[in-house]
């Protein structure tokens, strides 16, 4: 509908999250000032069911990983899909993300109901256009305390599906970038780093078996490169990293 009506960009927002009052104004300025931008995103503050701030010590490792990624060297620029895939992991929360409508139309969300946003974000970047980080318009992301998030509570084998969808999204992004002539680097090294990063994310959630499976995938591409990346990230001592 947005594409058909000629709307220039879309701001996603989940029903229980709250946008910053200046989100629309700021995002509009960013797209005007940065004609090459495909995505504008911000950080977020976690709130509970009563809209009270949630202390960081109460957050899950995967949420902390996202926020940590915003504090230092946030994802920006072209080929953001590479930085997301091999360094940061999940980066831009849906309720903090805006995208150019033509990009969203060309790369729709997949049918999967786990990590479908991450799949789209990776393709948005690989398809062309820059990522812009706008830190001054944090969204409020609602996570009821004492209960798992809705998606994790309702979906069996959540982490298995997440690993599969994230992998498919990264491989699709790689394919798109190669077709567009925007990636001509070492594919094997890139994939090794991706699988190690995915293992790291899963390991933080105590999904050790799944994490070990990702390390095995990396090692099947190059055992030497996998060991090198694990050592560089100080992960070699982790139980799931044993080769």
């Amino acid at each position: 509908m947005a594409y058909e009506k000629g709307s220039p960009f879309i701001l996603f927002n989940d029903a229980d999250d709250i946008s910053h009052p200046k989100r629309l104004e700021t995002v509009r300025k960013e797209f005007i000032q940065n004609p090459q931008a495909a995505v504008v995103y911000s950080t977020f503050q976690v709130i509970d069911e009563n809209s009270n701030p949630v202390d960081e010590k109460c957050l899950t490792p995967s949420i902390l990983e996202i926020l940590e990624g915003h504090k230092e060297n946030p994802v920006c620029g072209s080929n953001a899909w590479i930085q997301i895939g091999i360094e940061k992991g999940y980066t831009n929360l849906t309720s903090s993300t805006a995208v150019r409508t033509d990009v969203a139309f060309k790369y729709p969300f997949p049918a999967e109901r786990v990590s479908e946003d991450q799949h789209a974000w990776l393709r948005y970047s690989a398809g062309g256009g820059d990522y812009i980080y706008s830190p001054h318009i944090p969204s409020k992301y609602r996570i009821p305390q004492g209960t798992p998030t809705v998606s994790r509570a309702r979906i069996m084998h959540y982490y298995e599906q997440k690993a599969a969808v994230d992998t498919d999204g990264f491989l699709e992004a790689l394919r798109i970038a190669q077709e567009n002539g925007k990636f001509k680097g070492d594919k094997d090294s890139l994939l090794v780093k991706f699988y190690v990063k995915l293992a790291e994310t899963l390991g933080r959630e105590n999904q050790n078996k799944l994490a070990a499976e990702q390390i095995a995938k990396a090692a099947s591409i190059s055992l030497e490169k996998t060991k090198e990346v694990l050592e560089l990230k100080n992960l070699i001592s982790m139980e799931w990293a044993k080769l």
Side-chain angles (χ1 to χ4, degrees):
M1 183 186 297
Y3 183 80
E4 290 171 355
K5 289 182 178 294
S7 298
F9 56 86
I10 297 165
L11 289 82
F12 297 113
N13 200 67
D14 286 346
D16 55 350
D17 297 335
I18 302 172
S19 288
H20 189 280
K22 291 187 176 293
R23 184 184 178 199
L24 177 58
E25 176 186 347
T26 301
V27 164
R28 182 174 181 273
K29 287 180 180 177
E30 290 285 10
F31 276 119
I32 290 173
Q33 293 171 1
N34 300 280
Q36 298 303 312
V39 170
V40 177
Y41 76 104
S42 67
T43 190
F44 57 90
Q45 178 188 41
V46 177
I47 57 174
D48 65 16
E49 56 270 44
N50 299 310
S51 297
N52 296 315
V54 177
D55 194 283
E56 281 197 1
K57 68 176 182 292
C58 300
L59 302 179
T60 63
S62 56
I63 297 297
L64 284 172
E65 182 180 61
I66 305 170
L67 292 171
E68 289 166 2
H70 296 162
K71 292 176 181 177
E72 184 177 348
N73 190 29
V75 172
C76 293
S78 61
N79 287 325
W81 64 277
I82 296 177
Q83 192 179 1
I84 292 170
I86 71 175
E87 294 179 20
K88 299 288 187 176
Y90 186 77
T91 295
N92 42 311
L93 181 75
T94 305
S95 293
S96 297
T97 298
V99 60
R100 250 185 22 233
T101 304
D102 61 318
V103 175
F105 184 78
K106 186 174 182 179
Y107 301 107
F109 280 60
E112 290 83 1
R113 301 308 300 163
V114 171
S115 214
E116 70 278 10
D117 48 358
Q118 174 79 334
H119 198 291
W121 307 157
L122 292 165
R123 288 177 292 126
Y124 286 174
S125 170
D130 293 350
Y131 256 55
I132 303 294
Y133 177 63
S134 186
H136 304 301
I137 49 169
S139 295
K140 293 185 177 180
Y141 177 40
R142 195 180 305 276
I143 303 179
Q145 297 303 288
T147 59
T149 60
V150 173
S151 61
R152 298 182 197 193
R154 75 183 179 207
I155 298 172
M156 293 182 62
H157 308 298
Y158 171 87
Y159 288 104
E160 289 91 336
Q161 292 187 49
K162 172 180 169 52
V165 174
D166 286 0
T167 300
D168 186 70
F170 191 76
L171 292 174
E172 269 295 290
L174 174 59
R175 180 190 64 78
I176 292 167
Q178 287 178 316
E179 285 183 356
N180 293 340
K182 293 186 175 181
F183 179 79
K184 299 177 181 178
D186 184 345
K187 176 182 175 181
D188 286 352
S189 290
L190 189 71
L191 290 176
V192 165
K193 291 175 183 176
F194 166 75
Y195 284 122
V196 171
K197 177 56 190 172
L198 181 56
E200 184 181 9
T201 297
L202 293 167
R204 290 184 68 161
E205 289 285 350
N206 295 317
Q207 299 296 314
N208 294 332
K209 181 175 181 295
L210 267 176
E213 290 175 6
Q214 310 315 309
I215 297 300
K217 290 178 182 178
S220 70
I221 298 171
S222 172
L223 180 59
E224 182 180 351
K225 289 177 182 176
T226 302
K227 287 182 176 179
E228 182 180 314
V229 174
L230 287 169
E231 289 176 358
L232 190 64
K233 294 170 76 70
N234 294 316
L235 296 172
I236 200 76
S237 63
M238 304 301 291
E239 184 62 33
W240 45 262
K242 299 293 174 62
L243 293 168

